[in-house]
PDB file of all heavy atoms in Angstrom:
ATOM      1  N   ASP A  26     172.480  74.754  78.046  1.00 98.00           N
ATOM      2  CA  ASP A  26     171.892  75.550  79.103  1.00 98.00           C
ATOM      3  C   ASP A  26     171.662  74.618  80.347  1.00 98.00           C
ATOM      4  O   ASP A  26     170.903  73.620  80.251  1.00 98.00           O
ATOM      5  CB  ASP A  26     170.529  76.120  78.637  1.00 98.00           C
ATOM      6  CG  ASP A  26     170.019  77.145  79.644  1.00 98.00           C
ATOM      7  OD1 ASP A  26     170.119  76.932  80.857  1.00 98.00           O
ATOM      8  OD2 ASP A  26     169.525  78.190  79.175  1.00 98.00           O
ATOM      9  N   SER A  28     169.960  75.085  83.021  1.00 97.00           N
ATOM     10  CA  SER A  28     168.669  75.132  83.694  1.00 97.00           C
ATOM     11  C   SER A  28     167.475  74.760  82.767  1.00 97.00           C
ATOM     12  O   SER A  28     166.631  74.008  83.204  1.00 97.00           O
ATOM     13  CB  SER A  28     168.397  76.497  84.387  1.00 97.00           C
ATOM     14  OG  SER A  28     168.490  77.516  83.432  1.00 97.00           O
ATOM     15  N   THR A  29     167.448  75.254  81.572  1.00 98.00           N
ATOM     16  CA  THR A  29     166.375  74.899  80.688  1.00 98.00           C
ATOM     17  C   THR A  29     166.879  74.657  79.288  1.00 98.00           C
ATOM     18  O   THR A  29     167.323  75.515  78.521  1.00 98.00           O
ATOM     19  CB  THR A  29     165.343  76.122  80.658  1.00 98.00           C
ATOM     20  OG1 THR A  29     164.901  76.407  81.969  1.00 98.00           O
ATOM     21  CG2 THR A  29     164.107  75.706  79.803  1.00 98.00           C
ATOM     22  N   VAL A  31     165.921  73.546  75.561  1.00 98.00           N
ATOM     23  CA  VAL A  31     164.734  73.642  74.704  1.00 98.00           C
ATOM     24  C   VAL A  31     165.034  73.076  73.333  1.00 98.00           C
ATOM     25  O   VAL A  31     166.146  73.309  72.787  1.00 98.00           O
ATOM     26  CB  VAL A  31     164.253  75.094  74.562  1.00 98.00           C
ATOM     27  CG1 VAL A  31     162.921  75.180  73.855  1.00 98.00           C
ATOM     28  CG2 VAL A  31     164.163  75.786  75.953  1.00 98.00           C
ATOM     29  N   ASN A  48     168.271  75.698  72.019  1.00 98.00           N
ATOM     30  CA  ASN A  48     168.805  76.962  72.526  1.00 98.00           C
ATOM     31  C   ASN A  48     170.307  76.863  72.735  1.00 98.00           C
ATOM     32  O   ASN A  48     170.834  75.948  73.363  1.00 98.00           O
ATOM     33  CB  ASN A  48     168.120  77.451  73.819  1.00 98.00           C
ATOM     34  CG  ASN A  48     168.054  76.330  74.870  1.00 98.00           C
ATOM     35  OD1 ASN A  48     168.087  75.155  74.636  1.00 98.00           O
ATOM     36  ND2 ASN A  48     168.020  76.773  76.140  1.00 98.00           N
ATOM     37  N   ARG A  63     171.791  82.835  85.259  1.00 98.00           N
ATOM     38  CA  ARG A  63     170.394  83.377  85.159  1.00 98.00           C
ATOM     39  C   ARG A  63     170.352  84.701  85.812  1.00 98.00           C
ATOM     40  O   ARG A  63     169.412  85.513  85.492  1.00 98.00           O
ATOM     41  CB  ARG A  63     169.418  82.453  85.838  1.00 98.00           C
ATOM     42  CG  ARG A  63     169.466  81.000  85.326  1.00 98.00           C
ATOM     43  CD  ARG A  63     168.326  80.156  86.034  1.00 98.00           C
ATOM     44  NE  ARG A  63     167.059  80.435  85.480  1.00 98.00           N
ATOM     45  CZ  ARG A  63     165.970  80.538  86.203  1.00 98.00           C
ATOM     46  NH1 ARG A  63     166.017  80.468  87.497  1.00 98.00           N
ATOM     47  NH2 ARG A  63     164.827  80.734  85.595  1.00 98.00           N
ATOM     48  N   LYS A  71     173.033  84.756  80.538  1.00 98.00           N
ATOM     49  CA  LYS A  71     172.840  84.147  79.233  1.00 98.00           C
ATOM     50  C   LYS A  71     171.850  84.826  78.380  1.00 98.00           C
ATOM     51  O   LYS A  71     171.817  84.748  77.160  1.00 98.00           O
ATOM     52  CB  LYS A  71     172.337  82.650  79.441  1.00 98.00           C
ATOM     53  CG  LYS A  71     170.990  82.530  80.102  1.00 98.00           C
ATOM     54  CD  LYS A  71     170.654  81.082  80.431  1.00 98.00           C
ATOM     55  CE  LYS A  71     169.400  81.018  81.281  1.00 98.00           C
ATOM     56  NZ  LYS A  71     169.025  79.634  81.606  1.00 98.00           N
ATOM     57  N   TYR A  72     170.905  85.609  79.035  1.00 98.00           N
ATOM     58  CA  TYR A  72     169.775  86.107  78.296  1.00 98.00           C
ATOM     59  C   TYR A  72     170.143  87.047  77.131  1.00 98.00           C
ATOM     60  O   TYR A  72     169.448  87.206  76.178  1.00 98.00           O
ATOM     61  CB  TYR A  72     168.769  86.801  79.235  1.00 98.00           C
ATOM     62  CG  TYR A  72     168.209  85.796  80.218  1.00 98.00           C
ATOM     63  CD1 TYR A  72     168.586  85.845  81.582  1.00 98.00           C
ATOM     64  CD2 TYR A  72     167.379  84.759  79.862  1.00 98.00           C
ATOM     65  CE1 TYR A  72     168.152  84.920  82.461  1.00 98.00           C
ATOM     66  CE2 TYR A  72     166.913  83.809  80.751  1.00 98.00           C
ATOM     67  CZ  TYR A  72     167.276  83.923  82.083  1.00 98.00           C
ATOM     68  OH  TYR A  72     166.844  82.984  82.987  1.00 98.00           O
ATOM     69  N   VAL A  75     171.997  84.047  74.319  1.00 98.00           N
ATOM     70  CA  VAL A  75     171.522  82.725  73.870  1.00 98.00           C
ATOM     71  C   VAL A  75     170.463  82.882  72.756  1.00 98.00           C
ATOM     72  O   VAL A  75     169.571  83.725  72.799  1.00 98.00           O
ATOM     73  CB  VAL A  75     170.997  81.841  75.030  1.00 98.00           C
ATOM     74  CG1 VAL A  75     169.646  82.354  75.594  1.00 98.00           C
ATOM     75  CG2 VAL A  75     170.873  80.406  74.633  1.00 98.00           C
ATOM     76  N   HIS A  77     167.329  81.371  70.979  1.00 98.00           N
ATOM     77  CA  HIS A  77     166.262  80.485  71.421  1.00 98.00           C
ATOM     78  C   HIS A  77     166.018  79.343  70.360  1.00 98.00           C
ATOM     79  O   HIS A  77     166.317  79.515  69.170  1.00 98.00           O
ATOM     80  CB  HIS A  77     164.975  81.279  71.604  1.00 98.00           C
ATOM     81  CG  HIS A  77     164.984  82.197  72.785  1.00 98.00           C
ATOM     82  ND1 HIS A  77     163.871  82.824  73.310  1.00 98.00           N
ATOM     83  CD2 HIS A  77     166.028  82.506  73.600  1.00 98.00           C
ATOM     84  CE1 HIS A  77     164.238  83.542  74.361  1.00 98.00           C
ATOM     85  NE2 HIS A  77     165.516  83.354  74.542  1.00 98.00           N
ATOM     86  N   ALA A  78     165.553  78.246  70.883  1.00 98.00           N
ATOM     87  CA  ALA A  78     165.357  77.052  70.068  1.00 98.00           C
ATOM     88  C   ALA A  78     164.468  77.308  68.854  1.00 98.00           C
ATOM     89  O   ALA A  78     164.788  76.908  67.704  1.00 98.00           O
ATOM     90  CB  ALA A  78     164.779  75.905  70.907  1.00 98.00           C
ATOM     91  N   GLU A  79     163.336  78.008  69.040  1.00 98.00           N
ATOM     92  CA  GLU A  79     162.416  78.184  67.948  1.00 98.00           C
ATOM     93  C   GLU A  79     163.044  79.151  66.905  1.00 98.00           C
ATOM     94  O   GLU A  79     162.883  78.956  65.713  1.00 98.00           O
ATOM     95  CB  GLU A  79     161.108  78.827  68.498  1.00 98.00           C
ATOM     96  CG  GLU A  79     160.404  77.964  69.516  1.00 98.00           C
ATOM     97  CD  GLU A  79     160.871  78.236  70.944  1.00 98.00           C
ATOM     98  OE1 GLU A  79     162.016  78.660  71.172  1.00 98.00           O
ATOM     99  OE2 GLU A  79     160.110  78.027  71.864  1.00 98.00           O
ATOM    100  N   LEU A 100     159.137  73.926  74.971  1.00 98.00           N
ATOM    101  CA  LEU A 100     158.760  74.999  75.826  1.00 98.00           C
ATOM    102  C   LEU A 100     157.882  76.027  75.075  1.00 98.00           C
ATOM    103  O   LEU A 100     158.205  76.370  73.905  1.00 98.00           O
ATOM    104  CB  LEU A 100     160.023  75.717  76.324  1.00 98.00           C
ATOM    105  CG  LEU A 100     159.842  76.904  77.317  1.00 98.00           C
ATOM    106  CD1 LEU A 100     159.263  76.443  78.620  1.00 98.00           C
ATOM    107  CD2 LEU A 100     161.136  77.636  77.541  1.00 98.00           C
ATOM    108  N   PHE A 101     156.877  76.492  75.665  1.00 98.00           N
ATOM    109  CA  PHE A 101     155.993  77.474  75.013  1.00 98.00           C
ATOM    110  C   PHE A 101     156.869  78.655  74.523  1.00 98.00           C
ATOM    111  O   PHE A 101     157.600  79.200  75.366  1.00 98.00           O
ATOM    112  CB  PHE A 101     154.895  77.934  75.891  1.00 98.00           C
ATOM    113  CG  PHE A 101     153.736  78.541  75.148  1.00 98.00           C
ATOM    114  CD1 PHE A 101     152.618  77.766  74.871  1.00 98.00           C
ATOM    115  CD2 PHE A 101     153.804  79.806  74.591  1.00 98.00           C
ATOM    116  CE1 PHE A 101     151.538  78.262  74.133  1.00 98.00           C
ATOM    117  CE2 PHE A 101     152.781  80.311  73.847  1.00 98.00           C
ATOM    118  CZ  PHE A 101     151.645  79.567  73.596  1.00 98.00           C
ATOM    119  N   PRO A 102     156.733  79.098  73.313  1.00 98.00           N
ATOM    120  CA  PRO A 102     157.667  80.151  72.823  1.00 98.00           C
ATOM    121  C   PRO A 102     157.438  81.499  73.498  1.00 98.00           C
ATOM    122  O   PRO A 102     156.347  81.864  73.779  1.00 98.00           O
ATOM    123  CB  PRO A 102     157.280  80.266  71.308  1.00 98.00           C
ATOM    124  CG  PRO A 102     156.387  79.111  71.020  1.00 98.00           C
ATOM    125  CD  PRO A 102     155.864  78.558  72.296  1.00 98.00           C
ATOM    126  N   CYS A 103     158.544  82.177  73.673  1.00 98.00           N
ATOM    127  CA  CYS A 103     158.525  83.553  74.240  1.00 98.00           C
ATOM    128  C   CYS A 103     157.929  84.464  73.191  1.00 98.00           C
ATOM    129  O   CYS A 103     157.701  84.120  71.995  1.00 98.00           O
ATOM    130  CB  CYS A 103     159.930  83.985  74.606  1.00 98.00           C
ATOM    131  SG  CYS A 103     160.942  84.386  73.179  1.00 98.00           S
ATOM    132  N   CYS A 106     160.186  84.864  69.957  1.00 98.00           N
ATOM    133  CA  CYS A 106     160.121  83.694  69.013  1.00 98.00           C
ATOM    134  C   CYS A 106     158.687  83.719  68.376  1.00 98.00           C
ATOM    135  O   CYS A 106     158.544  83.395  67.188  1.00 98.00           O
ATOM    136  CB  CYS A 106     160.336  82.407  69.751  1.00 98.00           C
ATOM    137  SG  CYS A 106     162.054  82.198  70.254  1.00 98.00           S
ATOM    138  N   LYS A 124     155.894  76.327  81.489  1.00 98.00           N
ATOM    139  CA  LYS A 124     156.224  76.689  82.846  1.00 98.00           C
ATOM    140  C   LYS A 124     156.347  78.226  83.051  1.00 98.00           C
ATOM    141  O   LYS A 124     156.352  78.663  84.215  1.00 98.00           O
ATOM    142  CB  LYS A 124     157.526  76.004  83.310  1.00 98.00           C
ATOM    143  CG  LYS A 124     158.790  76.436  82.594  1.00 98.00           C
ATOM    144  CD  LYS A 124     160.017  75.770  83.226  1.00 98.00           C
ATOM    145  CE  LYS A 124     161.272  76.080  82.454  1.00 98.00           C
ATOM    146  NZ  LYS A 124     162.460  75.469  83.108  1.00 98.00           N
ATOM    147  N   TYR A 125     156.426  78.978  81.989  1.00 98.00           N
ATOM    148  CA  TYR A 125     156.455  80.462  82.152  1.00 98.00           C
ATOM    149  C   TYR A 125     155.107  81.087  81.705  1.00 98.00           C
ATOM    150  O   TYR A 125     155.117  82.243  81.304  1.00 98.00           O
ATOM    151  CB  TYR A 125     157.645  80.984  81.310  1.00 98.00           C
ATOM    152  CG  TYR A 125     158.975  80.592  81.860  1.00 98.00           C
ATOM    153  CD1 TYR A 125     159.978  79.969  81.079  1.00 98.00           C
ATOM    154  CD2 TYR A 125     159.254  80.799  83.248  1.00 98.00           C
ATOM    155  CE1 TYR A 125     161.146  79.573  81.594  1.00 98.00           C
ATOM    156  CE2 TYR A 125     160.432  80.359  83.748  1.00 98.00           C
ATOM    157  CZ  TYR A 125     161.419  79.779  82.987  1.00 98.00           C
ATOM    158  OH  TYR A 125     162.589  79.357  83.533  1.00 98.00           O
TER     159      TYR A 125
HETATM  160  O1  LIG B   1     160.992  80.796  73.512  1.00 73.43           O
HETATM  161  C1  LIG B   1     161.930  80.395  74.203  1.00 73.43           C
HETATM  162  C2  LIG B   1     162.170  80.846  75.472  1.00 73.43           C
HETATM  163  C3  LIG B   1     163.303  80.511  76.126  1.00 73.43           C
HETATM  164  N1  LIG B   1     164.198  79.667  75.527  1.00 73.43           N
HETATM  165  C4  LIG B   1     165.449  79.358  76.188  1.00 73.43           C
HETATM  166  C5  LIG B   1     166.347  80.593  76.529  1.00 73.43           C
HETATM  167  C6  LIG B   1     167.088  80.086  77.728  1.00 73.43           C
HETATM  168  O2  LIG B   1     168.248  79.341  77.257  1.00 73.43           O
HETATM  169  C7  LIG B   1     166.127  79.085  78.354  1.00 73.43           C
HETATM  170  C8  LIG B   1     165.393  79.657  79.571  1.00 73.43           C
HETATM  171  O3  LIG B   1     166.242  79.659  80.639  1.00 73.43           O
HETATM  172  P1  LIG B   1     165.684  79.876  82.146  1.00 73.43           P
HETATM  173  O4  LIG B   1     166.829  79.527  83.007  1.00 73.43           O
HETATM  174  O5  LIG B   1     164.533  78.861  82.340  1.00 73.43           O
HETATM  175  O6  LIG B   1     165.203  81.276  82.258  1.00 73.43           O
HETATM  176  O7  LIG B   1     165.172  78.730  77.384  1.00 73.43           O
HETATM  177  C9  LIG B   1     164.000  79.185  74.245  1.00 73.43           C
HETATM  178  O8  LIG B   1     164.779  78.487  73.684  1.00 73.43           O
HETATM  179  N2  LIG B   1     162.804  79.550  73.634  1.00 73.43           N
END
Side-chain angles (χ1 to χ4, degrees):
D26 191 319
S28 56
T29 305
V31 187
N48 53 332
R63 305 181 79 220
K71 62 185 173 183
Y72 298 108
V75 72
H77 290 189
E79 301 88 332
L100 180 67
F101 201 99
C103 74
C106 289
K124 66 178 177 175
Y125 293 126

